[in-house]
Amino acid sequence: MISKNQLKQLRALSQKKQRKLQNLFLVQGEKNVLELLDSNLVIEQLFATQIFCEKHASRLTDLNIITCEEEELAKASTLVSNNAAIAIVKTPKQGESNSQGISIVLDGVADPGNLGTIIRVADWYGINELILSPDCADPYNPKVISATMGSFTRVNIIQTELTDYFSKQTRPVYGAYLGGESIHSTQFESDLILVMGSESHGIREHIASAISKKITIPAFGQAESLNVAMASGIILDNIKRCQG
Amino acid sequence: MISKNQLKQLRALSQKKQRKLQNLFLVQGEKNVLELLDSNLVIEQLFATQIFCEKHASRLTDLNIITCEEEELAKASTLVSNNAAIAIVKTPKQGESNSQGISIVLDGVADPGNLGTIIRVADWYGINELILSPDCADPYNPKVISATMGSFTRVNIIQTELTDYFSKQTRPVYGAYLGGESIHSTQFESDLILVMGSESHGIREHIASAISKKITIPAFGQAESLNVAMASGIILDNIKRCQG
């Protein structure tokens, strides 16, 4: 059973302020919790149905588990549907940023769904680092975690001032703009930084000087723009194709 | 001012049943309404703020317009933020399906956000036809229209039994599967049909026999799958690159 105090804590962790204070975040739903179990992240507490516990018994040793009814989980969950499990997880320390390979930088991407989708597609293409400007969505927002479909366990996320970040980097920096070079003809290096701006303001002026090459997804129709997550995925596909 | 009856109708049109009955649908928000004004779709009634009406006066002649306050619009809108306009629009008749060019077929894509995003990326790549199985999201769902960012005016949508549809088609049919040929090495024709299944069940058995070639987005990391809208965009980019 989920106690009143536990329910209160679960609710509290849907707020960024409380996540920062308690240094904890939520992982919800079967797929995300299973990926969590396979990761090095530290689970503080797991709320799960009897069915979930029996199905995955061998993976649940040494865990602080509270079994509960589906309805309790549904009530406690911030997701539309969750009939399996919710974990309270320790927020990992931010690591050092990479100086080689491919890193993605997001400038002001505030929508949690977009951020989660970008983490998922980054993982698909084997990119393990994402740098976020301070005004991006909180990567530990439950909506972000949910949209990653487990990929939050494999992509390192560093939220920092982008000007500081770029001052320490020597890799070529590609920025997604309207009106740059077509990604269909760009020869991407194997070490690079890809910068994506938000849909509303693009890549902002204060980091524009860090961009060494402007690139564009060629349009064949009349849509004015693409969603930033979609654009990120299409550009990553073009980058990896050059290295395939 | 929006009258009680008008508010009732706006609310009714958020339901599929009422949209079918009245043969009307809603277009909400500045970007979508402006694209609507540039289209051939028939606007039955437009609710808009004074500011919107003044800003776009030259485009609003011969329209049945009701000016209202921002708060009224916000209250009437099914969208999170809408401070500009809502239009009630006649649902266009389903056209005949194309027999050449590129068509996209969606099998059981029930999420309105995904469908809207696919319409938008189809428009970006100049694809003007989308075929939906009967259990796909309703293309006139307000969430679909909203996610298209105006592209709903340029992509013809036909919702029909897919087995009927395929029986009349002679173009090669590419289906997105896990474990098909890599899209990075596929030579796509300029006339083709692309079939995308839903994230949960993929392309279903009853249409599998219509697929002439199985294709796959190559994975470089460990994510198990991609969102169907993301996958559609990446495949379209690869198709159009072959024809560029």
Side-chain angles (χ1 to χ4, degrees):
Chain A
M1 223 189 94
I2 304 179
S3 74
K4 261 195 184 169
N5 273 339
Q6 287 162 342
L7 189 62
K8 209 171 143 188
Q9 190 190 20
L10 288 169
R11 292 224 188 290
L13 291 176
S14 69
Q15 299 163 35
K16 183 175 177 180
K17 192 180 154 189
Q18 286 297 323
R19 288 194 296 274
K20 293 258 173 205
L21 261 174
Q22 302 187 38
N23 210 32
L24 296 170
F25 69 103
L26 300 176
V27 175
Q28 302 172 83
E30 182 157 17
K31 166 77 178 159
N32 275 307
V33 170
L34 288 177
E35 294 265 13
L36 173 68
L37 293 172
D38 287 341
S39 77
N40 294 323
L41 289 162
V42 179
I43 300 175
E44 184 108 334
Q45 190 144 59
L46 181 69
F47 301 89
T49 59
Q50 196 63 42
I51 294 172
F52 181 90
C53 291
E54 283 166 14
K55 200 167 154 195
H56 307 291
S58 62
R59 300 163 77 174
L60 298 175
T61 48
D62 298 327
L63 278 179
N64 177 4
I65 304 178
I66 291 165
T67 55
C68 52
E69 301 297 323
E70 267 192 49
E71 301 81 64
E72 285 180 281
L73 266 189
K75 235 175 108 178
S77 180
T78 64
L79 300 181
V80 178
S81 70
N82 177 8
N83 51 12
I86 302 180
I88 298 180
V89 184
K90 284 204 176 149
T91 310
K93 282 215 182 91
Q94 282 204 170
E96 286 294 302
S97 56
N98 295 338
S99 56
Q100 48 190 33
I102 298 172
S103 302
I104 303 171
V105 170
L106 301 182
D107 180 28
V109 174
D111 180 79
N114 279 340
L115 176 54
T117 306
I118 292 171
I119 294 170
R120 183 178 176 190
V121 74
D123 184 29
W124 179 271
Y125 285 106
I127 316 296
N128 67 4
E129 186 176 83
L130 205 58
I131 313 293
L132 309 180
S133 67
D135 59 351
C136 278
D138 175 19
Y140 298 104
N141 180 318
K143 284 184 196 160
V144 174
I145 299 293
S146 166
T148 70
M149 296 297 278
S151 293
F152 71 94
T153 61
R154 287 180 293 267
V155 179
N156 298 318
I157 300 197
I158 299 174
Q159 196 153 20
T160 185
E161 284 295 343
L162 298 185
T163 45
D164 291 353
Y165 172 74
F166 284 119
S167 71
K168 291 168 202 145
Q169 291 290 334
T170 55
R171 287 172 287 176
V173 181
Y174 289 82
Y177 285 88
L178 295 170
E181 179 183 320
S182 164
I183 54 170
H184 288 178
S185 49
T186 303
Q187 282 303 317
F188 292 100
E189 294 88 345
S190 53
D191 294 315
L192 64 83
I193 297 168
L194 170 65
V195 185
M196 304 294 300
S198 87
E199 276 174 75
S200 46
H201 52 60
I203 296 171
R204 286 171 291 189
E205 207 41 46
H206 71 291
I207 57 160
S209 61
I211 309 292
S212 43
K213 193 153 199 174
K214 294 182 177 184
I215 52 171
T216 296
I217 301 172
F220 296 79
Q222 291 173 72
E224 264 178 30
S225 65
L226 287 172
N227 166 289
V228 61
M230 177 70 81
S232 301
I234 293 170
I235 295 173
L236 288 180
D237 184 74
N238 278 265
I239 291 174
K240 295 302 282 192
R241 159 196 281 274
C242 282
Q243 301 163 9
Chain B
M1 224 188 93
I2 304 178
S3 74
K4 261 195 183 168
N5 273 339
Q6 287 163 342
L7 189 62
K8 209 171 144 189
Q9 190 190 19
L10 288 168
R11 293 224 188 289
L13 291 176
S14 69
Q15 298 162 36
K16 183 176 178 179
K17 192 180 154 190
Q18 286 297 324
R19 287 194 295 274
K20 293 257 173 204
L21 261 172
Q22 301 187 38
N23 210 31
L24 296 170
F25 69 104
L26 299 177
V27 175
Q28 302 173 81
E30 183 157 19
K31 165 78 177 159
N32 275 308
V33 171
L34 289 177
E35 295 264 13
L36 172 68
L37 293 171
D38 288 341
S39 76
N40 294 325
L41 290 161
V42 179
I43 301 174
E44 184 110 334
Q45 189 145 59
L46 181 69
F47 302 88
T49 59
Q50 196 62 43
I51 294 173
F52 181 91
C53 292
E54 284 166 12
K55 200 167 153 195
H56 307 291
S58 62
R59 302 163 77 173
L60 298 175
T61 48
D62 299 326
L63 279 179
N64 176 5
I65 303 177
I66 290 164
T67 55
C68 52
E69 302 295 324
E70 267 192 49
E71 301 81 63
E72 284 182 281
L73 267 189
K75 234 174 107 179
S77 178
T78 64
L79 300 182
V80 179
S81 69
N82 178 8
N83 52 11
I86 301 179
I88 298 180
V89 184
K90 286 206 175 145
T91 310
K93 281 215 183 89
Q94 282 203 170
E96 286 293 302
S97 57
N98 294 338
S99 57
Q100 49 189 31
I102 298 171
S103 302
I104 303 171
V105 170
L106 301 183
D107 180 29
V109 174
D111 180 79
N114 279 341
L115 176 53
T117 305
I118 292 171
I119 294 170
R120 183 177 177 191
V121 75
D123 184 29
W124 179 271
Y125 285 106
I127 315 297
N128 67 4
E129 186 176 83
L130 205 57
I131 313 293
L132 309 180
S133 67
D135 59 349
C136 279
D138 175 19
Y140 299 104
N141 180 318
K143 283 184 198 162
V144 174
I145 299 292
S146 165
T148 69
M149 295 298 277
S151 293
F152 71 95
T153 61
R154 287 180 293 268
V155 179
N156 298 318
I157 300 196
I158 298 175
Q159 196 153 21
T160 185
E161 285 295 343
L162 298 185
T163 43
D164 292 353
Y165 172 74
F166 285 119
S167 70
K168 292 167 201 146
Q169 291 291 334
T170 56
R171 287 171 287 175
V173 180
Y174 289 82
Y177 285 88
L178 294 170
E181 179 184 319
S182 165
I183 54 169
H184 288 178
S185 48
T186 303
Q187 283 302 318
F188 292 100
E189 293 89 345
S190 53
D191 293 315
L192 64 82
I193 297 169
L194 170 65
V195 185
M196 305 294 300
S198 85
E199 276 174 75
S200 45
H201 52 61
I203 296 171
R204 285 170 292 189
E205 207 41 45
H206 71 290
I207 59 160
S209 61
I211 309 292
S212 43
K213 193 153 200 174
K214 294 183 177 185
I215 51 170
T216 295
I217 302 172
F220 296 79
Q222 292 173 70
E224 263 178 30
S225 65
L226 288 172
N227 166 290
V228 60
M230 177 70 82
S232 302
I234 293 170
I235 295 173
L236 288 180
D237 185 74
N238 279 265
I239 291 174
K240 294 304 281 193
R241 157 196 282 273
C242 282
Q243 301 163 8

